[in-house]
Amino acid sequence: MLKGKKIIVVLPAYNAEKTIRQTYAEIPMEIVDMVILVDDNSRDATVKVASELNNITVVKHEVNKGYGGNQKTCYNEALKHGADIIVMLHPDYQYDPRLITAMASMIAYDIFHVVFGSRILGGNAIKNGMPLYKYFFNRVLTMIQNICLSEKMSEYHTGYRAYSAEVLKQINYLQNSDGFVFDNEMISQILMKNIVIGEVSCPAKYFKEASSIGLGKSIIYGLGVLRVCFQHLFHKTIFYKNKRYI
């Protein structure tokens, strides 16, 4: 705990058998009260490997629900277990688990209620292995989103995020997509509530076992991001508020 806040780390997992041990080993258990792994009907031994770890709760989907669907279960489980702070960490070891302390502290000490781990802050994304096309789309989409959402964030597309329980209870995340655009729909919901999002620099690793979507799915994702972006702008400025995002 930090300042008496119960911290739960959620791991949305899909085919993560080769990286889950290393990811889990670096979670700062001195402050983390509980770790929940939600397996999205993996085709490998993710559940078996995770179940062999100490002090971890494993939830398995009997059918694949998608990245967004997985997160919905993650947050539902964390709230059910009384979390005050929920940190989403991908179990593919792309993001550094040791930053959980910094991210959770920013929420525990009421500096922010939402904190993202940004791969762009620090300026070493390409050096650390981010594919050029991903970096290009990341920067273009982020620029468009900052304009439409009137923000100055360095990145909207990180998979490393921390939330206070109060934020998750305020937004209707269950109505969001089950796909990858879920993350951006959550951002829209959060900003609609005028909640400020904090960021910390998070160098990311890129290697064969790290999960990643290909160019085709990246394009589909990008189009979904633009759709959310313009819907947010419309709702915020043209008097109409769609309950899906509030």
Side-chain angles (χ1 to χ4, degrees), residues 7 22 38 40 51 55 59 63 65 68 77 83 91 127 134 139 154 176 179 202 205 228 242:
I7 301 172
Q22 193 170 14
V38 178
D40 201 23
S51 298
N55 302 318
V59 177
V63 296
K65 295 186 178 182
E77 290 293 320
K127 181 180 178 181
K134 286 183 178 292
R139 304 322 301 138
S154 69
N176 292 344
C202 176
K205 297 176 286 290
V228 174
N242 186 334

Side-chain angles (χ1 to χ4, degrees), residues 48-183:
K48 178 179 181 298
V49 173
S51 298
E52 294 171 353
L53 301 173
N54 294 323
N55 302 318
I56 187 170
T57 298
V58 178
V59 177
K60 178 177 173 57
H61 288 166
E62 295 305 320
V63 296
N64 184 277
K65 295 186 178 182
Y67 177 62
N70 192 318
Q71 283 193 67
K72 293 174 186 178
T73 301
C74 284
Y75 301 140
N76 286 345
E77 290 293 320
L79 292 174
K80 183 176 74 175
H81 284 88
D84 296 304
I85 299 172
I86 301 94
V87 182
M88 179 184 71
L89 170 67
H90 289 184
D92 62 356
Y93 200 59
Q94 185 179 66
Y95 300 98
D96 194 328
R98 294 171 296 181
L99 287 173
I100 288 171
T101 301
M103 296 170 70
S105 294
M106 293 169 75
I107 296 176
Y109 287 90
D110 292 321
I111 300 171
F112 294 102
H113 295 287
V114 179
V115 179
F116 289 176
S118 170
R119 297 168 294 179
I120 303 303
L121 285 175
N124 291 317
I126 295 177
K127 181 180 178 181
N128 291 332
M130 180 182 282
L132 287 175
Y133 78 89
K134 286 183 178 292
Y135 181 81
F136 173 77
F137 283 124
N138 186 303
R139 304 322 301 138
V140 170
L141 288 173
T142 293
M143 178 185 68
I144 294 172
Q145 288 172 283
N146 275 332
I147 293 171
C148 291
L149 277 57
S150 299
E151 295 292 324
K152 295 182 180 179
M153 290 176 58
S154 69
E155 182 185 13
Y156 289 79
H157 313 289
T158 175
Y160 201 2
R161 304 177 175 213
Y163 304 97
S164 70
E166 288 75 14
V167 167
L168 292 184
K169 291 174 182 178
Q170 285 184 55
I171 63 176
N172 192 3
Y173 61 84
L174 293 176
Q175 293 299 312
N176 292 344
S177 166
D178 286 338
F180 287 102
V181 78
F182 172 92
D183 281 342

Side-chain angles (χ1 to χ4, degrees), residues 20-51:
I20 180 60
R21 288 185 185 276
Q22 193 170 14
T23 301
Y24 182 81
E26 295 187 14
I27 293 175
M29 298 304 293
E30 64 272 15
I31 67 161
V32 172
D33 299 280
M34 186 176 186
V35 177
I36 300 173
L37 180 140
V38 178
D39 178 76
D40 201 23
N41 197 32
S42 293
R43 295 170 293 176
D44 65 3
T46 296
V47 170
K48 178 179 181 298
V49 173
S51 298

